[in-house]
Amino acid sequence: MSLQVTGAQLPSSNGAAEPQALGIESMFQQIMSAVQKSNLEIAELRNEQASLQEANKDLQRQLREALVHNANTSAGMAIQLPRGKASPSGPPSPMLVSSKSPFLSPSVTHSFFVPPPVDLGLRRQVSRLDIPGFWAVVPAGGAGTRLWPLSRKSYPKFFLDLTLSGRSLIQGTWDRLLPLTTPSRLMVVTGNDHATGVKDQLPDLLPANLLSEPSPKESAAAIGLAAAVLARRDPNAILGSFAADHMISGNDAFLGSVREAALTAGEDLLVTIGIAPSHPATGFGYIRLGEKLDIKGAPNACQVSQFKEKPDGRTASAYLASGNYRWNAGMFVVKATVLMDLLKEYCPTLAEGLEKIADVWEDEQERIKVFAEVWPSLPKIAIDHAVAEPAANAGRVAVVPATFGWDDVGDFSSLAEILPSEIGQARVLGDQALVVTDQVAGGIIVPASGRLVACLGVDDLVIVDTPDALLVTTRARAQEVKTIVAKCKDGGWKQVL
């Protein structure tokens, strides 16, 4: 708003008119007039805002009614998960979900909520990128012990909705990868114990694309198994491996980075995607950037100079200050045949075993037999140590520096960072009505038992209240929760793990 104060014109000595200065009273009247006009404009804006809020509430009410109607005619709103049982089913993807959906429903047994399908005729259209021969591979493993007692052996964190979006982490990964491929070229590798849960939560996943492992063997065996099977199904396949339990923001940037990585992988390189570090983290490995590569369609691709193990705080700060390092998020894009060649060179025992299993993969009876014979003897090793690090030393690994947001949701401290909250208040994952606080700052509270959780004058606490286990620690020691899990196991508390 601009205010112009003018007065009458008086003649000057040379005959030209000059403005006459207004008196103080006249100036005040003009100012008050402008203020009144501004107040009227503000009132109109507030009325418009109130109308929009009412319209938004009406839309949310319609969505909730649709959810309740669908839930009452199907499985019900709260899906119970007794220990050792399969996870609940989720809607096909992509699907419109409600803007607010429950995370945990109080019950006598552990449960979490994955909403039923919402059929309002509002399905999202998924635009696809044309990446010839691209297959998305999702390793879904690990027990998520740092998120205990929320995450358990029978339903690890990738089955949970930790983002309050109404979709579990593995469902969010599926949604994110669909624009890159189709369900016919999207593969999940998981343990036998979780195969049923994966099928329930990803109903569009083809049975032939679900690879089940008899026991956990780390990422090299999981991704290598997918590569061995794909090399026989599609010799020209380029696979991209993306963990089932990571969070990513900035989907357009993610899709662009994967496309660059796929084009770079077409040059027979093992390609990783490096995350721009936002702080000197000590819980991640790092990638040192090398020279730029001249690859058409991949202007950001660089050679990997070196992989670095998790550093201490001072070293991590130096990495961040240099600008030449990226976080290693464990994302790899490579031709299936190239990965098998690298495994044969750097980890021949693993490669030989995977080849034997893949040779009989399509024959279920033979597969079971060979699995029993071969799988127990395979080395348990991460893909970084098995092939990425030695291949980088030989100049055979590239990196695409990324600009999207990423978090591995590795503990309750990192989970707290992604949850909304008022300034100075604790984050709540679940029913806000079950948490009462006074003079509490930071921290995260998960009221999963249905009981009231009340906190007074404590800061940065982690409180996870479930029907059969209560965890209390600090955010600073959130990484150490796995040690409590180990002690519970040693103490005979396997029923809560």
Side-chain angles (χ1 to χ4, degrees), residues 1-4 34:
M1 180 184 70
S2 61
L3 178 65
Q4 295 180 345

Side-chain angles (χ1 to χ4, degrees), residues 16-100:
E18 291 183 347
Q20 181 182 9
L22 288 177
I24 293 177
E25 183 176 349
S26 298
M27 290 176 62
F28 180 75
Q29 289 176 349
Q30 286 201 13
I31 292 172
M32 291 302 299
S33 176
V35 169
Q36 289 173 357
K37 183 179 179 182
S38 176
N39 287 338
L40 289 174
E41 292 174 350
I42 292 172
E44 290 177 1
L45 289 172
R46 285 176 175 167
N47 288 334
E48 291 180 9
Q49 181 186 26
S51 298
L52 288 171
Q53 288 175 338
E54 288 300 318
N56 187 48
K57 288 179 182 178
D58 186 59
L59 177 59
Q60 289 185 1
R61 179 184 57 78
Q62 293 178 36
L63 288 169
R64 285 195 298 268
E65 289 175 354
L67 283 171
V68 171
H69 173 74
N70 286 337
N72 289 338
T73 58
S74 57
M77 288 294 289
I79 302 175
Q80 302 303 319
L81 261 185
R83 288 185 292 274
K85 299 296 183 181
S87 61
S89 8
S93 173
M95 180 66 67
L96 176 73
V97 296
S98 61
S99 57
K100 288 187 178 181

